[in-house]
């Protein structure tokens, strides 16, 4: 093993740089150079012994030994240029020249050396080139023809050998040619074994990649038919690879994405590189029969054979195959969709916030203008000669404006407390019917002024409940005020209450303008107002329903809104009869608990949504 390793290292040092990075090419160059160098060295080592035993050599013997320099020169040529086919052509020429030189002096076609012409194409077969093998075969046939012609015309010198010597030389020629051919056969077998080993190793390497990579590699016809698909498809789609061959993969492409899928494959078959995203139907493990589950896939495809398209002599209409690499990009697509939705929600919230601030500025400016204007008139009563009844009227207007301004500020402060988690429920026993009737009595005058029937249905036997009476009244006042505000003259507002074993149910319904279905879905969005399509004819801060929802949530209750455009709205509030405060939580947790509720509140939603109706 040590000697063989030394010989292999010496041969590798002689290899051309172009042959050092491919194992099969390296083996072929080594197989060409090793027997020639070793044979030449052995022949030169035996030459002195031959001279001692033979004596003075003849001219043909000198020429034969001189030919031993040719293999060394051929090895040097291959080592310097790396031209493997060229070295085999030169080797065929050198071997044929030696055979012609020996055969022409030892009987022509009948010479013992003529049998060696068969070896010329056999040696060329090691080049693995049809051109070199064809050249060597024509060369051997040409040499045989020349020897025959020379013998026919009598241009060959007489051999001068007896019959016994001729038989011995013929036997030597056949035996030597057979041994050389056997050596070529063993060399060819060694190269074939090396090629198979390398191919198997390469196949195992690519098989390892195909089985363990998450991306799916497939081979398609131009019409999309799958000829090969890697095992990763089974993990991606949850089905056997055999079912994806042919048009099995195409059948699983979403109908809306099939044109883009086929267009990408068709463009790639024409020589372009294309990328496309489409949806594939997947069979989830353990899913119910008939369930449809799609994943997003990114496919990058390119033609399998670029050279054929670039060959001017090839048929340009020939159908090329396409190789594609697919990967699951469902998570990325979901992230993009989530970002788009978040961006849209942020833009909508920003627009709603702008409308909210505009509404708030109007609501604050109106009472302040009244307060400032009428107070200035009272301050100048001597100049304006105001009567007592006028001063009283102005003072009442100032008081009314101040009360309205105070209610606006209180609403903003309540919402601020709720959002910060600092709003505390002052729980105590109280009679809900008395609180309900008191709120309805406060709004009865406004309802009569608007020509609206306010009907109250509260049983006398409503049980006493434990909670925050101020918050309860605020819930009732906001809901009834909104119902009265957005009900046309001649309409009706009904306030009813009922109790079960554990909760009190309030229902405030009206025959007002109602809420559109699209706006009803958006109830709870941040700063949501429907002022785009609703005519704003009523004042309001837009905080009514937000406060109601927040107070209901703080009481661990439920709020539902049912409405139909043009027919009216019904708001149902369910509150526990006995409020049990939750366990104390850190401030951050408290804020996090209330924020989802408050963030989805809509400022005075019945008011704003009805305005858009």
């Amino acid at each position: 093993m040590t000697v063989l390793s030394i010989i292999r290292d010496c041969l590798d040092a002689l290899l051309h740089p172009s042959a050092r990075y491919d194992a099969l090419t390296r083996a072929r160059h080594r197989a060409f150079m090793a027997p020639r160098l070793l044979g030449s060295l052995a022949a030169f080592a035996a030459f002195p012994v031959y001279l001692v035993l033979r004596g003075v050599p003849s001219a043909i013997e000198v020429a034969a030994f001189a030919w031993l320099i040719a293999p060394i020169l051929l090895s040097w040529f291959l080592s310097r240029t790396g031209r493997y086919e060229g070295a085999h052509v030169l080797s065929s020429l050198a071997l044929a020249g030696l055979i012609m030189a020996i055969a022409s002096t030892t009987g022509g076609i009948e010479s013992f050396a003529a049998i060696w012409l068969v070896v010329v194409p056999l040696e060329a077969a090691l080049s693995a080139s049809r051109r070199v093998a064809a050249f060597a075969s024509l060369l051997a046939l040409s040499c045989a023809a020349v020897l025959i012609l020379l013998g026919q015309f009598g241009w060959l010198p007489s051999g001068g050998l007896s019959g016994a010597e001729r038989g011995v030389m013929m036997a030597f020629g056949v035996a030597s040619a057979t041994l050389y051919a056997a050596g070529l056969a063993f060399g060819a077998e060694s190269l074939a074994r090396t090629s198979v080993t390398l191919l198997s190793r390469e196949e195992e390497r690519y098989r390892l990649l195909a089985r363990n990579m998450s991306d799916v590699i497939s081979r398609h016809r131009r019409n999309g038919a799958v000829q090969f698909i890697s095992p990763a498809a089974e993990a991606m789609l949850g089905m056997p690879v055999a079912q994806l061959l042919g048009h099995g993969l195409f059948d699983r492409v979403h109908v809306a994405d099939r044109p883009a899928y086929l267009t990408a494959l068709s463009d790639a078959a024409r020589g372009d590189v294309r990328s496309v995203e489409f949806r594939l139907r997947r069979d989830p493990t353990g899913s119910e029969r008939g369930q449809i589950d799609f994943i997003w896939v990114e496919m990058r495809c390119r033609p399998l054979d670029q050279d054929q398209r670039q060959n001017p002599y090839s048929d340009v209409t020939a159908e090329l195959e396409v190789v594609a690499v697919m990967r699951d990009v469902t998570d990325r697509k979901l992230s993009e969709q989530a970002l788009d939705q978040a961006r849209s929600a942020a833009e909508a919230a920003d627009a709603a916030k702008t409308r909210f601030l505009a509404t708030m500025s109007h609501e604050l400016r109106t009472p302040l203008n009244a307060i400032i204007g009428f107070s200035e008139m009272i301050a100048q009563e001597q100049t304006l000669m105001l009567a007592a009844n006028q001063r009283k009227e102005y003072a009442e207007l100032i008081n009314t404006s101040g009360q309205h301004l105070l209610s606006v500020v209180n609403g903003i402060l309540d919402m601020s407390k709720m959002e910060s988690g600092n709003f505390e429920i002052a729980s105590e026993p109280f009679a809900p019917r008395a609180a309900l009737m008191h709120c309805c009595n406060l709004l009865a005058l406004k309802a009569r002024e608007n020509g609206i029937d306010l009907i109250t249905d509260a049983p006398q036997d409503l049980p006493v409940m434990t909670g925050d009476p101020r918050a309860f009244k605020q819930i009732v006042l906001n809901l009834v005020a909104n119902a009265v505000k957005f009900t046309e003259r001649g309409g009706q507002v009904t306030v009813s209450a009922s109790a079960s074993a554990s909760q009190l149910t309030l229902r405030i319904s009206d025959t007002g303008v109602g809420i559109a279905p699209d706006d009803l879905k958006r109830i709870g969005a941040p700063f949501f107002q429907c002022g785009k399509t609703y005519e704003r004819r009523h004042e309001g801060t837009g905080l009514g329903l937000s406060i109601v929802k927040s107070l209901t949530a703080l009481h661990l209750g439920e709020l539902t809104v049912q409405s139909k455009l043009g027919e009216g709205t019904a708001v149902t509030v369910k509150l526990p009869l006995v409020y049990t405060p939750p366990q104390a939580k850190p401030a951050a947790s408290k804020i996090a608990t209330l924020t989802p509720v408050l963030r989805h509140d809509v400022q005075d939603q019945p008011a704003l949504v009805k305005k858009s109706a």
Side-chain angles (χ1 to χ4, degrees):
M1 291 297 295
T2 304
V3 176
L4 292 178
S5 300
I6 294 174
I7 294 175
R8 178 172 295 181
D9 293 340
C10 294
L11 291 174
D12 289 342
L14 296 175
L15 294 178
H16 189 265
S18 62
R20 294 177 181 175
Y21 303 102
D22 183 75
L24 183 58
T25 303
R26 185 167 62 248
R28 287 176 176 174
H29 283 229
R30 191 187 296 124
F32 181 88
M33 297 171 61
R36 286 166 176 79
L37 292 177
L38 295 176
S40 297
L41 293 176
F44 279 121
F47 187 66
V49 179
Y50 180 81
L51 292 179
V52 172
L53 298 178
R54 180 70 172 82
V56 179
S58 62
I60 190 63
E61 292 172 341
V62 174
F65 276 103
W67 176 83
L68 296 175
I69 302 176
I72 298 177
L73 295 178
L74 291 175
S75 299
W76 177 85
F77 172 81
L78 181 61
S79 175
R80 292 298 181 181
T81 64
R83 298 173 60 183
Y84 185 66
E85 293 183 2
H88 269 284
V89 169
L90 294 177
S91 179
S92 299
L93 290 173
L95 181 58
L98 176 63
I99 294 171
M100 286 294 292
I102 297 176
S104 61
T105 58
T106 57
I109 195 63
E110 298 177 357
S111 172
F112 71 94
I115 190 64
W116 275 76
L117 291 176
V118 180
V119 178
V120 175
L122 292 178
E123 184 185 59
L126 294 178
S127 65
S129 172
R130 291 184 178 181
R131 294 181 298 177
V132 175
F135 171 79
S137 299
L138 292 176
L139 179 62
L141 292 175
S142 300
C143 292
V146 170
L147 290 176
I148 293 173
L149 290 176
L150 291 177
Q152 291 294 328
F153 288 105
W155 293 345
L156 294 176
S158 58
L161 297 177
S162 62
E165 291 178 343
R166 183 182 297 275
V168 172
M169 295 303 294
M170 184 60 69
F172 172 75
V174 172
S176 60
T178 302
L179 292 175
Y180 192 78
L184 295 177
F186 281 112
E189 189 276 335
S190 177
L191 287 177
R193 187 170 60 252
T194 302
S195 178
V196 170
T197 302
L198 294 176
L199 181 60
S200 177
R201 190 178 303 165
E202 194 74 8
E203 288 180 350
E204 183 63 28
R205 184 181 306 157
Y206 285 113
R207 190 179 297 111
L208 179 65
L209 290 175
R211 288 179 177 176
N212 293 279
M213 68 185 306
S214 58
D215 293 350
V216 177
I217 302 175
S218 56
R219 183 175 178 177
H220 303 255
R221 293 187 183 275
R222 186 173 181 175
N223 61 357
V226 178
Q227 293 182 295
F228 165 80
I229 190 166
S230 62
E234 184 171 351
M236 177 183 292
L237 300 179
M239 62 181 306
V241 172
Q243 297 183 18
L244 298 175
L245 298 178
H247 292 284
L249 181 64
F250 174 78
D251 293 339
R252 307 188 74 80
V253 178
H254 195 280
V255 176
D257 299 333
R258 289 180 181 179
Y261 170 79
L262 293 177
T263 301
L265 291 176
S266 178
D267 292 343
R270 289 196 295 266
D272 299 329
V273 178
R274 288 289 181 265
S275 294
V276 63
E277 293 181 353
F278 55 90
R279 287 162 288 182
L280 275 177
R281 188 174 73 253
R282 179 175 57 184
D283 292 339
T285 304
S287 64
E288 297 181 0
R289 184 177 180 84
Q291 181 180 358
I292 299 177
D293 183 18
F294 284 93
I295 61 172
W296 278 98
V297 173
E298 179 187 31
M299 181 178 73
R300 185 173 181 84
C301 47
R302 63 176 64 247
L304 186 62
D305 188 1
Q306 291 277 12
D307 296 335
Q308 184 177 351
R309 293 293 302 179
Q310 297 172 358
N311 187 357
Y313 300 102
S314 64
D315 183 7
V316 295
T317 62
E319 181 178 334
L320 293 184
E321 295 180 352
V322 176
V323 61
V325 178
M326 294 179 288
R327 63 177 53 184
D328 188 349
V329 294
T330 304
D331 293 340
R332 191 193 73 191
K333 295 294 289 187
L334 292 178
S335 299
E336 292 176 356
Q337 293 175 1
L339 287 176
D340 291 339
Q341 293 176 358
R343 187 182 301 108
S344 300
E347 293 174 354
D350 185 67
K353 183 178 181 180
T354 301
R355 294 194 300 269
F356 168 76
L357 293 177
T359 302
M360 287 301 303
S361 64
H362 170 75
E363 295 297 333
L364 294 176
R365 189 184 301 113
T366 300
L368 284 175
N369 287 336
I371 293 173
I372 294 173
F374 288 114
S375 62
E376 287 180 350
M377 295 180 68
I378 294 176
Q380 300 176 9
E381 62 174 340
Q382 294 181 354
T383 304
L384 297 177
M385 303 295 293
L386 297 178
N389 59 344
Q390 289 181 320
R391 290 197 302 273
K392 181 180 178 181
E393 179 182 1
Y394 293 165
E396 291 177 352
L397 291 174
I398 292 173
N399 181 69
T400 302
S401 299
Q403 293 295 333
H404 175 67
L405 184 61
L406 179 62
S407 66
V408 172
V409 174
N410 286 335
I412 296 174
L413 291 177
D414 287 342
M415 283 300 301
S416 176
K417 289 180 180 179
M418 293 176 190
E419 288 190 352
S420 63
N422 294 325
F423 192 93
E424 296 182 358
I425 298 295
S427 180
E428 62 182 62
F430 70 96
R433 186 180 187 280
L436 179 64
M437 298 302 297
H438 175 72
C439 294
C440 291
N441 292 334
L442 289 177
L443 296 171
L445 178 60
K446 185 174 182 61
R448 286 196 300 270
E449 291 176 352
N450 293 344
I452 299 171
D453 292 336
L454 179 59
I455 301 175
T456 304
D457 182 12
Q460 294 287 343
D461 57 349
L462 281 180
V464 175
M465 65 181 298
T466 302
D468 191 331
R470 185 179 68 87
F472 179 82
K473 291 180 180 179
Q474 195 167 4
I475 291 174
V476 175
L477 286 173
N478 278 311
L479 293 178
V480 176
N482 274 340
V484 171
K485 186 186 301 182
F486 297 105
T487 300
E488 301 294 337
R489 181 172 294 275
Q492 179 179 298
V493 175
T494 302
V495 181
S496 61
S498 62
S500 64
S502 61
Q503 65 181 7
L504 175 73
T505 302
L506 296 177
R507 179 179 174 85
I508 295 89
S509 60
D510 60 63
T511 60
V513 294
I515 304 173
D518 293 340
D519 294 333
L520 193 61
K521 295 177 182 178
R522 298 179 58 192
I523 284 181
F527 300 103
F528 173 70
Q529 296 183 11
C530 301
K532 288 185 177 180
T533 56
Y534 295 177
E535 180 182 1
R536 181 175 174 83
R537 297 177 299 171
H538 307 280
E539 64 181 12
T541 62
L543 296 175
L545 191 57
S546 295
I547 294 176
V548 170
K549 290 186 68 174
S550 300
L551 291 175
T552 302
L554 289 173
H555 277 83
L556 306 179
E558 299 178 3
L559 173 68
T560 58
V561 180
Q562 298 175 341
S563 181
K564 191 172 183 180
L565 192 63
E567 296 185 5
T569 303
V571 180
T572 303
V573 178
K574 296 182 179 180
L575 300 173
L577 288 177
V578 179
Y579 168 72
T580 303
Q583 296 180 355
K585 297 181 180 180
S589 302
K590 191 174 183 181
I591 295 174
T593 303
L594 293 178
T595 299
V597 178
L598 301 180
R599 291 301 182 192
H600 290 81
D601 291 341
V602 181
Q603 291 76 13
D604 202 4
Q605 283 177 333
L608 294 175
V609 176
K610 289 176 182 178
K611 278 181 267 184
S612 67

